[in-house]
Amino acid sequence: MGSYFALVLIAGPPADADAAVAGWLHDTGWQEADGAPARCTTFEAGPQVLGVAGDPAPTADPALLQEVAAGLSARTGHLAVGIDVEDSDILTLLVAEAGTVRQVVRCGPAVAAPPPVPHPVWGRLLGPGGSLDDLATAWTQPAVYAEEVLDRIAGLCGWHADRLRPGGEAHRPVVAERRVRRAGDEDRSAAGPARFGHVGGDDVVEARAGVPVRPRIIAHSVGGDGAGVTVIAWGPAIEEGLLRPLSAELLVGVPQQPLARTGVSLVPGPPATGHFDAAVPAGYPDQATAIRGVPPDEGIRRWLGTRVEVAVTLAAERPGTGDLHLGLLPEGDRDRAVAWTVGVNVLP
């Protein structure tokens, strides 16, 4: 399935938030450019709520959606909500606060696993009379289309549902429209230091106390060749004693025929760390670049060949819920780190 549409909402005064969006675009390397292939539009998504949409949507990659929402929440000082609808079957929601993604939720007709209990931060987005229980019900009630679930949530939060749906451009009072391009897009290549991008992984893991859990963080090489990968694990699930880090396994390349597969014991932290002496191949900035100009099968092999997966094994120590953050550092460099947040539910 592919992303149908995606956007980010900022829970703050639209005029102030729009100025912050412009500043964030500048700081992250996006430049004003007449006739460039990307367009960023901000619009009023509800009372004191600014919507941010791209065409093509820079938010349509799940990892980039998290990056954008987290970045905008840090820049604006307001909560940011990422919204992604995949083929009208899956709705992905995330909420970011002060630069950190607090929760990622997947729901909709094609999602079998029940969504997690809403993080308390969602309560700050609800309208008068709305509760976290109401939000949980909106996530879990049956629906034919994922947009129906989004409409329920919009009703609880006071968002204008018709402005969020695909085709909603006709209903959006535009605050600003910018033609943008990322600096260097005209000559993008897999050069320079090793870097990771397109980060994903397990959204939620569940286990009984006494049984190990094995959440994963998955990324792709988007820079030059690298020598070594460091994994780090931290967050409330560890700090509050729900989980105890044990070991980690690295897999580089196509899962069925990996270029490298190795394991290490984790050194207790915080954060818990493990270093792999494994080579990481130079990659591509995105999947479209990897498949350009070659047969489809070869393009897929190219893209999967840049895949980097680390599975972290942790002992489930006691019942409870909390977030676990996993990070990947190419060549141990924290300035190039990427991260993924996993919800943890340890049952009695």
Side-chain angles (χ1 to χ4, degrees), residues 45-147:
Q48 299 295 291
V49 178
L50 183 79
V52 184
D55 180 20
T59 53
D61 177 282
L64 193 53
L65 179 63
Q66 292 202 38
E67 177 187 332
V68 172
L72 289 176
S73 71
R75 182 71 187 225
T76 64
H78 300 294
L79 296 181
V81 177
I83 300 172
D84 180 50
V85 174
E86 301 174 35
D87 294 341
S88 291
D89 291 327
I90 299 174
L91 170 65
T92 298
L93 293 167
L94 63 91
V95 60
E97 176 187 34
T100 299
V101 174
R102 298 299 183 192
Q103 188 173 44
V104 179
V105 179
R106 286 166 62 84
C107 50
V111 180
V117 174
H119 190 287
V121 75
W122 288 102
R124 292 160 52 190
L125 295 164
L126 298 172
S131 69
L132 292 177
D133 288 341
D134 294 332
L135 184 60
T137 299
W139 289 350
T140 55
Q141 280 184 336
V144 177
Y145 301 108
E147 291 90 334

Side-chain angles (χ1 to χ4, degrees), residues 32-240:
E32 300 285 346
D34 291 339
R39 176 171 60 90
C40 176
T41 301
T42 52
F43 62 96
E44 294 183 14
Q48 299 295 291
V49 178
L50 183 79
V52 184
D55 180 20
T59 53
D61 177 282
L64 193 53
L65 179 63
Q66 292 202 38
E67 177 187 332
V68 172
L72 289 176
S73 71
R75 182 71 187 225
T76 64
H78 300 294
L79 296 181
V81 177
I83 300 172
D84 180 50
V85 174
E86 301 174 35
D87 294 341
S88 291
D89 291 327
I90 299 174
L91 170 65
T92 298
L93 293 167
L94 63 91
V95 60
E97 176 187 34
T100 299
V101 174
R102 298 299 183 192
Q103 188 173 44
V104 179
V105 179
R106 286 166 62 84
C107 50
V111 180
V117 174
H119 190 287
V121 75
W122 288 102
R124 292 160 52 190
L125 295 164
L126 298 172
S131 69
L132 292 177
D133 288 341
D134 294 332
L135 184 60
T137 299
W139 289 350
T140 55
Q141 280 184 336
V144 177
Y145 301 108
E147 291 90 334
E148 296 175 43
V149 184
L150 179 58
D151 287 351
R152 294 179 203 145
I153 297 165
L156 289 172
C157 296
W159 305 332
H160 298 306
D162 58 344
R163 299 177 187 174
L164 308 183
R165 283 174 167 265
E169 289 85 352
H171 305 284
R172 295 172 179 170
V174 172
V175 174
E177 181 174 301
R178 303 176 179 87
R179 302 291 298 187
V180 296
R181 65 175 175 85
R182 190 179 289 277
D185 269 1
E186 62 279 2
D187 57 355
R188 294 173 74 177
S189 61
R195 291 183 297 109
F196 296 138
H198 307 282
V199 186
D202 295 313
D203 292 326
V204 178
V205 293
E206 188 173 86
R208 295 198 175 275
V211 178
V213 294
R214 202 165 183 263
R216 301 169 303 155
I217 177 173
I218 301 168
H220 284 264
S221 170
V222 297
D225 293 308
V229 178
T230 298
V231 62
I232 58 176
W234 77 102
I238 294 176
E239 295 156 8
E240 296 172 9

Side-chain angles (χ1 to χ4, degrees), residues 244-316:
R244 176 169 53 87
L246 298 174
S247 62
E249 182 182 43
L250 169 72
L251 188 153
V252 179
V254 180
Q256 294 79 6
Q257 296 177 314
L259 301 173
R261 187 168 198 158
T262 182
V264 296
S265 296
L266 294 179
V267 178
T273 61
H275 181 74
F276 304 94
D277 289 319
V280 175
Y284 304 90
D286 49 46
Q287 186 173 0
T289 303
I291 66 176
R292 187 176 300 142
V294 298
D297 288 351
E298 182 180 345
I300 292 171
R301 283 194 298 272
R302 277 185 176 184
W303 182 242
L304 290 178
T306 68
R307 188 177 184 271
V308 177
E309 173 185 327
V310 174
V312 178
T313 300
L314 309 98

